[in-house]
Amino acid sequence: MVEAQADPRSTFPGRRVGGGTRGECSARTLVHLVPETSVYAPDASGLVGLVQGPSDSPVSLQVTLKPEDGSAESTRTLAAAPASVVLFDVKAKRPAVWETSFNCGSGDGGDSADPMAFVQSTSPPALSLLVSGAESSDQSLQALLSALRAKCGASVSTADTMAKLGLSELATADWPKQLPIRCES
């Protein structure tokens, strides 16, 4: 008996925004640059991006890709940095779950063993599904990411960039006026 497979675009329970919980490390904003559905089809290069918010004590990011076919997952660490747009290529089989989180344990000693210490140092990761077969929302985002890649090493206006990404509400007064564009290899 052959079971019909549901369209991953309509069934994936992702969250493109991670971080933002209490605790010094995890209070920082982390956003995958994907459509609001948290499902994205990168272009042929595999270009994806994320935005990390301001922090007095930046920590590194852990990026994990988990192919849904059960093949080996891959993990990479991106260096700690201030508020910025981070762009990189992914070479995972698709569909694949893309998870990004702050390495909070690397700088603050991790969660306390005290059961009354309910403020945790970890936060929910940003969680997206990478698929093949681009739709119009993917194509417009692909073009925006490519335009940002052309500015690697430079800075862009925070207000303008966040508006183009549909994230204006996240850019509070704590954010710098300019966001550096970091391109990771």
Side-chain angles (χ1 to χ4, degrees):
M1 185 161 112
V2 177
E3 292 183 35
Q5 183 171 350
D7 177 13
R9 287 188 180 269
S10 63
T11 60
F12 184 71
R15 59 182 168 275
R16 69 179 180 159
V17 179
T21 60
R22 298 195 300 175
E24 185 176 333
C25 173
S26 56
R28 187 176 191 191
T29 302
L30 175 62
V31 183
H32 283 174
L33 300 182
V34 298
E36 286 185 34
T37 60
S38 296
V39 179
Y40 176 59
D43 63 13
S45 72
L47 180 63
V48 297
L50 57 88
V51 173
Q52 55 185 343
S55 173
D56 291 335
S57 304
V59 296
S60 60
L61 294 170
Q62 181 168 328
V63 176
T64 304
L65 295 165
K66 301 174 185 176
E68 288 199 334
D69 68 359
S71 57
E73 68 179 54
S74 63
T75 301
R76 71 190 284 186
T77 300
L78 303 178
S84 56
V85 175
V86 182
L87 303 172
F88 55 96
D89 296 330
V90 295
K91 303 297 184 205
K93 290 183 182 181
R94 297 181 199 144
V97 175
W98 169 26
E99 215 174 270
T100 307
S101 58
F102 292 112
N103 283 324
C104 292
S106 65
D108 64 4
D111 292 336
S112 168
D114 179 0
M116 297 304 286
F118 55 86
V119 176
Q120 297 184 0
S121 63
T122 58
S123 62
L127 186 65
S128 301
L129 181 65
L130 301 179
V131 297
S132 300
E135 293 183 351
S136 61
S137 61
D138 298 318
Q139 293 168 345
S140 59
L141 186 55
Q142 289 170 358
L144 182 54
L145 292 177
S146 292
L148 289 171
R149 178 182 260 173
K151 298 177 182 178
C152 284
S155 292
V156 294
S157 163
T158 300
D160 291 346
T161 303
M162 295 297 273
K164 288 177 186 173
L165 295 168
L167 302 169
S168 295
E169 71 280 357
L170 296 177
T172 63
D174 297 339
W175 287 64
K177 300 285 185 216
Q178 296 284 311
L179 280 177
I181 306 295
R182 292 180 39 215
C183 296
E184 302 285 332
S185 54

